[in-house]
């Protein structure tokens, strides 16, 4: 029974980790997968349950709510509780360096600071008061962003690189994406907080994975378990191999092994998304622009009207000015620099 509970718990955590990355980095492949899955489900699940699921999904992903913030904190609390109660205690008995064991807690504190800032900070909401200043920050490329386009909802002129968020019901300057895990848009003014939040979250998961792995390896080495033999199902003596060691550790420390599997999976997923986010920052792109730009051609931009017979316009990133300038723009938003010059 304990094995079944732990197995379901692990599967749920891994799935949530996968969903976390998929939500933050929406791609057309994910949308195609979702559509295909929805078609299959429509033949299996009754229509009344489908409607209930659609309402739930609409509430979770298309309205502002604190569900994912609470889920984030619960998951983080569960992982750190397991690390504290088992890994930390065993490692202290094995005389691991204290600063080595306390590093995940330091990363947790820093991560929670940037998580809070990502949740509560203004991403760069465009209003009547700041509309004119935002219009002068970025140049219009006339391919992805055109002049004199008004937001039909806010009735404001749309600055270059801005977008109306249907979840928050506001236009956001240098809009990147809406993240359900922080219940906020990611824009010009809080992109630095989100990037540091993602960096520290990845580092904390990776650090716990390293500490847990080193503990298990040292346990095997100190016990000389890798030198032992065992009798297989046929009655033959076999030298202990890696598969047997994993099985033994799983039976002896099931919760630690499950936690290790989760943080390793999460480290890989978060690490992949962090690399993507750093690439966008280094090239001065947003997730919205990367998705719409289709890498080289902007042939599907819904806001750019042109005759069907017209040649497709080449999209060129005119906002990239070198990696250091691009990174500096994340941590010192262009709007802030403009307003200081103006004053």
């Amino acid at each position: 029974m304990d094995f079944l509970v732990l197995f379901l718990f692990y599967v749920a955590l891994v799935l949530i980790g996968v969903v976390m990355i998929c939500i933050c980095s929406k791609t057309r492949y994910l949308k195609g997968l979702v559509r295909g899955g929805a078609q299959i489900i429509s033949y299996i699940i009754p229509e009344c349950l489908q409607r209930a699921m659609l309402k739930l999904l609409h509430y979770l992903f298309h309205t502002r709510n604190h569900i994912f913030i609470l889920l984030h904190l619960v998951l983080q609390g569960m992982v750190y509780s397991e690390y504290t109660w088992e890994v930390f205690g065993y490692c202290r008995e094995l005389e691991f360096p204290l600063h080595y064991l306390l590093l995940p807690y330091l990363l947790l504190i820093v991560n929670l600071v940037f998580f809070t800032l990502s949740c509560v900070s203004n991403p760069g909401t465009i209003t009547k008061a700041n509309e004119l200043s935002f219009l002068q920050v970025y140049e219009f490329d006339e391919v992805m962003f055109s002049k004199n386009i008004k937001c039909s909802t806010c009735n404001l002129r749309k600055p270059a690189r801005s977008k109306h968020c249907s979840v928050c019901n506001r236009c956001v300057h240098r809009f990147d994406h809406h993240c359900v895990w922080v219940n906020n848009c990611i824009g010009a003014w809080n992109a630095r907080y989100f990037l540091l939040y993602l960096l520290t979250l990845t580092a904390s998961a990776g650090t716990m994975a390293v500490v847990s792995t080193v503990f298990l390896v040292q346990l095997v080495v100190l016990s000389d378990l890798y030198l032992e033999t065992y009798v297989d199902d046929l009655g033959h003596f076999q030298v202990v191999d890696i598969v047997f060691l994993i099985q033994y550790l799983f039976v002896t420390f099931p919760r630690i092994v499950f936690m290790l599997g989760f943080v390793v999976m999460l480290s890989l997923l978060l690490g992949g998304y962090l690399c993507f986010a750093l690439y966008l920052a280094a090239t001065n792109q947003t997730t919205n622009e990367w998705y719409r730009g289709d890498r080289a051609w902007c042939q599907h931009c819904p806001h750019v009207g042109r005759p069907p017979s017209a040649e497709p316009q080449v999209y060129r990133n005119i906002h990239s000015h070198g990696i250091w300038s691009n990174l500096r723009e994340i941590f010192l938003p262009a709007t802030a620099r403009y307003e200081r010059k103006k004053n």
Side-chain angles (χ1 to χ4, degrees), residues 248-267:
Y248 172 81
L249 292 173
F250 175 76
V251 172
T252 310
F253 305 102
R255 290 191 296 272
I256 294 179
V257 173
F258 271 109
M259 186 201 73
L260 175 60
F262 173 66
V263 293
V264 167
M265 179 68 70
L266 196 60
S267 300

Side-chain angles (χ1 to χ4, degrees), residues 7 17 32 47 56 66 72 78 89 102 123 156 163 169 182 191 209 220 248 254 278 288 297 311 319 322 334 341:
F7 176 75
E47 189 175 345
L56 177 61
H66 297 87
H72 178 285
M78 292 171 69
L102 293 178
L156 299 170
K163 186 179 183 296
N169 194 29
V182 300
V220 170
Y248 172 81
L278 290 173
N288 178 53
W297 299 88
E311 290 292 325
H319 306 294
K341 290 180 182 178

Side-chain angles (χ1 to χ4, degrees), residues 1 8 62 68 96 108 119 129 138 140 146 150 162 168 170 227 239 241 245 263 287 297 313 317 332:
M1 187 63 183
L8 293 176
H62 297 284
F68 283 94
F96 275 53
L108 173 65
C119 293
Y138 291 115
F140 291 91
S146 299
K150 273 198 170 186
S162 67
C168 298
R170 60 184 172 182
L227 300 176
V239 178
D241 55 11
L245 286 176
V263 293
T287 304
W297 299 88
Q313 296 174 281
N317 184 7
L332 295 173

Side-chain angles (χ1 to χ4, degrees), residues 118 120-125 134 168 170-175 184-191:
S118 299
V120 303
S121 59
N122 182 355
T125 305
F134 279 134
C168 298
R170 60 184 172 182
C171 284
V172 177
H173 175 56
R174 199 181 184 277
F175 177 86
N184 200 3
C185 291
I186 306 303
W189 291 354
N190 66 349

Side-chain angles (χ1 to χ4, degrees), residues 9 13 16 20 68-84 104-116 119 181-182 196-206 208 259 262-263 266 270:
F9 172 71
L13 290 182
I16 289 170
M20 178 179 179
F68 283 94
I69 290 179
L70 295 174
L71 182 59
H72 178 285
L73 296 175
V74 167
L75 287 175
Q76 211 165 27
M78 292 171 69
V79 171
Y80 269 89
S81 296
E82 178 58 30
Y83 174 81
T84 302
Y105 298 105
L106 175 62
L107 289 169
L108 173 65
I109 294 171
V110 178
N111 176 254
L112 289 176
V113 170
F114 288 116
F115 175 68
T116 303
C119 293
W181 292 98
V182 300
L196 291 170
Y197 152 70
L198 187 61
L199 177 64
T200 52
L201 186 63
T202 306
S204 62
M208 280 195 287
M259 186 201 73
F262 173 66
V263 293
L266 196 60
L270 288 170

Side-chain angles (χ1 to χ4, degrees), residues 162-284:
S162 67
K163 186 179 183 296
H164 183 86
C165 176
S166 58
V167 180
C168 298
N169 194 29
R170 60 184 172 182
C171 284
V172 177
H173 175 56
R174 199 181 184 277
F175 177 86
D176 191 274
H177 70 286
H178 180 89
C179 181
V180 296
W181 292 98
V182 300
N183 193 31
N184 200 3
C185 291
I186 306 303
W189 291 354
N190 66 349
R192 58 189 183 274
Y193 302 140
F194 181 77
L195 192 61
L196 291 170
Y197 152 70
L198 187 61
L199 177 64
T200 52
L201 186 63
T202 306
S204 62
T207 303
M208 280 195 287
V210 171
V211 172
S212 302
T213 301
V214 171
F215 159 68
L216 293 176
V217 170
Q218 187 162 339
L219 199 65
V220 170
V221 172
L222 291 176
S223 63
D224 291 331
L225 184 62
Y226 63 99
L227 300 176
E228 301 292 335
T229 59
Y230 68 96
V231 180
D232 61 16
D233 295 337
L234 300 177
H236 301 140
F237 284 94
Q238 301 288 345
V239 178
V240 169
D241 55 11
I242 187 66
V243 176
F244 180 86
L245 286 176
I246 293 174
Q247 291 175 343
Y248 172 81
L249 292 173
F250 175 76
V251 172
T252 310
F253 305 102
R255 290 191 296 272
I256 294 179
V257 173
F258 271 109
M259 186 201 73
L260 175 60
F262 173 66
V263 293
V264 167
M265 179 68 70
L266 196 60
S267 300
L268 294 174
L269 292 170
L270 288 170
Y273 182 58
L274 177 62
C275 290
F276 174 70
L278 290 173
Y279 161 75
L280 294 180
T283 56
N284 206 335

